[in-house]
Amino acid sequence: MKIKTKELASTLIALAAAAVVLVVMLLVHAEWLPTMLSVLGCFVFMFAAAHFLIRKYVAYKLKPIYSIVLSRDVRTKEIFEELQDKRVENIGEELTAWADTNDREITRLKEAETFRKQYLGNVAHELKTPIFNIQGYISTLLDGGLEDELINRTYLERAQKSIDRLNNIVSDLDTINKLESSMNMLRRDLFDVVALAREIAEQAELSAAKRNIKLVVKGAENLPSPFWVAADKHYVGQVLSNLITNSIRYGKEGGKTRITFRDMLDKILIEVEDNGQGISKEDQPRIFERFYRADKGRSREQGGTGLGLAIVKHIVEAHGERITVRSEQGVGSTFAFTLKKASDREISK
């Protein structure tokens, strides 16, 4: 039998004591009335005494635990009030739940600290390379290279590229900071997402032409299309721009990038697909991390900061949606995300 309450424990102790008294009284051949009064009195006294001592003992044991849980000195009276209507197992469950919550919080803080250290290390590493490059070019020019027409312009152009890269990194860091601090301030625009995709694709055509990549927007043939969404137009444009730019950077020369749209009842599914080099299965779970690059060398050559997909993920999740990737090396990659569909009533207003 499990003893779950202090009352049950006190009752058992009192019954045992009363049984002993009864046996003693029977052995001495006491009369019936004194025997019953003695047994009853013993039971009441032992129940009260056992109940009081058990409460005191449990309170004594629980006081330091509750002091830790509540982060303050706890009075014995408070423990008595806490124990009044509770079973021992209920108290154990509460303390176990607190311990589990505390463990999770500690784990979360450790993960946040690890992420912070990695983030700062990544930022320092990304900034260090262009800064050292600029320093080297300027030192060479100051040491006499400025008068050498064969190298002065070349070194200045290289320094300019490193400065551009620094500007891109700082700009992307600033964007992420704004996204994290003010994502609850997203605007709710009603717009034709196909028209927006076509506009961004037209802006990227010059970059695509350099690598002979064809950009295809597969929506309705004529605008306006039936693919209207309720979202922040500025940030959605940034998502499409980043995904299309990435498809051009890492796509196959002479290849194709397709932007397609599907009606998913209350949502619109948008996919940006390329037939480029693809992403390995090992890298796919991490590509949305800040500064993570599946192809580090090539990404830097192409001018990437390593923050584009992190920004994309922030924006999509801020809209209450999620972004996924399907990819196979040597075949290509498809990035897909959803946006809330605008209702016909909203569009007609």
Side-chain angles (χ1 to χ4, degrees):
M1 179 179 62
K2 291 184 178 180
I3 301 174
K4 297 182 178 180
T5 64
K6 52 189 177 297
E7 288 78 12
L8 178 58
S10 302
T11 300
L12 292 175
I13 293 171
L15 285 173
V20 171
V21 171
L22 178 61
V23 170
V24 171
M25 296 296 286
L26 290 175
L27 289 175
V28 298
H29 304 290
E31 293 183 4
W32 179 81
L33 183 58
T35 299
M36 294 304 297
L37 289 174
S38 299
V39 170
L40 182 60
C42 178
F43 176 83
V44 172
F45 174 77
M46 289 303 297
F47 179 86
H51 190 263
F52 175 77
L53 291 174
I54 290 171
R55 287 183 69 198
K56 289 285 287 183
Y57 178 76
V58 172
Y60 172 75
K61 289 293 185 182
L62 288 179
K63 187 174 180 179
I65 299 175
Y66 271 93
S67 296
I68 294 171
V69 171
L70 300 176
S71 301
R72 63 178 176 84
D73 289 332
V74 179
R75 294 177 298 172
T76 304
K77 183 181 177 182
E78 292 180 79
I79 301 294
F80 283 155
E81 291 173 355
E82 188 72 21
L83 295 175
Q84 191 165 3
D85 300 315
K86 288 186 178 179
R87 295 184 175 185
V88 174
E89 65 177 3
N90 291 341
I91 296 171
E93 288 173 0
E94 286 183 2
L95 294 176
T96 300
W98 174 84
D100 290 342
T101 302
N102 205 43
D103 285 343
R104 286 195 295 270
E105 182 64 15
I106 291 171
T107 301
R108 186 188 68 79
L109 291 173
K110 285 181 178 178
E111 289 175 350
E113 178 64 13
T114 300
F115 174 78
R116 184 188 67 82
K117 289 178 179 177
Q118 290 177 345
Y119 182 55
L120 290 175
N122 287 334
V123 170
H125 178 73
E126 292 297 329
L127 293 176
K128 181 172 63 176
T129 303
I131 288 173
F132 282 180
N133 287 343
I134 294 167
Q135 186 180 36
Y137 297 141
I138 292 176
S139 294
T140 302
L141 291 171
L142 290 175
D143 289 341
L146 192 61
E147 284 73 33
D148 189 339
E149 294 183 0
L150 295 176
I151 67 169
N152 56 12
R153 185 173 185 83
T154 301
Y155 274 39
L156 285 172
E157 288 174 350
R158 290 178 182 177
Q160 179 63 49
K161 286 183 180 179
S162 294
I163 290 171
D164 289 342
R165 187 176 166 205
L166 272 177
N167 283 333
N168 291 336
I169 292 172
V170 172
S171 176
D172 283 352
L173 286 171
D174 183 54
T175 299
I176 286 183
N177 182 57
K178 288 178 180 176
L179 289 171
E180 289 180 337
S181 61
S182 60
M183 272 290 85
N184 58 342
M185 298 175 65
L186 284 176
R187 294 188 311 173
R188 190 175 184 276
D189 304 315
L190 301 177
F191 61 94
D192 185 341
V193 71
V194 175
L196 179 63
R198 287 185 180 177
E199 179 184 333
I200 293 170
E202 287 172 3
Q203 294 170 2
E205 278 183 352
L206 185 60
S207 298
K210 291 178 180 178
R211 306 195 68 232
N212 196 25
I213 291 175
K214 184 178 181 181
L215 298 179
V216 179
V217 180
K218 299 284 287 184
E221 291 301 322
N222 299 308
L223 296 177
S225 77
F227 298 105
W228 281 67
V229 296
D232 190 304
K233 186 175 182 179
H234 168 73
Y235 281 122
V236 172
Q238 196 165 354
V239 169
L240 289 169
S241 178
N242 280 345
L243 293 179
I244 292 171
T245 299
N246 277 358
S247 75
I248 295 170
R249 282 177 179 165
Y250 309 116
K252 181 174 65 176
E253 286 202 34
K256 179 189 293 186
T257 291
R258 293 198 315 159
I259 303 98
T260 58
F261 306 84
R262 295 181 188 176
D263 192 327
M264 308 287 286
L265 298 178
D266 63 331
K267 297 182 186 295
I268 300 296
L269 174 67
I270 302 146
E271 294 184 320
V272 179
E273 176 188 359
D274 66 62
N275 57 351
Q277 63 189 26
I279 305 165
S280 69
K281 290 183 178 180
E282 293 77 18
D283 289 320
Q284 287 179 32
R286 301 191 60 191
I287 59 172
F288 293 105
E289 294 179 12
R290 299 174 189 184
F291 295 114
Y292 186 81
R293 293 183 175 92
D295 187 345
K296 296 177 175 59
R298 187 175 176 193
S299 179
R300 288 193 176 93
E301 288 174 9
Q302 298 287 348
T305 64
L307 292 168
L309 289 179
I311 292 173
V312 165
K313 184 173 182 285
H314 267 78
I315 294 172
V316 173
E317 290 183 349
H319 283 84
E321 307 294 339
R322 56 193 297 267
I323 184 166
T324 60
V325 61
R326 306 188 306 273
S327 186
E328 184 178 344
Q329 284 188 298
V331 176
S333 304
T334 301
F335 288 86
F337 65 98
T338 54
L339 292 173
K340 185 179 178 182
K341 183 179 178 182
S343 66
D344 293 337
R345 184 178 179 181
E346 289 176 317
I347 298 170
S348 61
K349 282 183 180 180

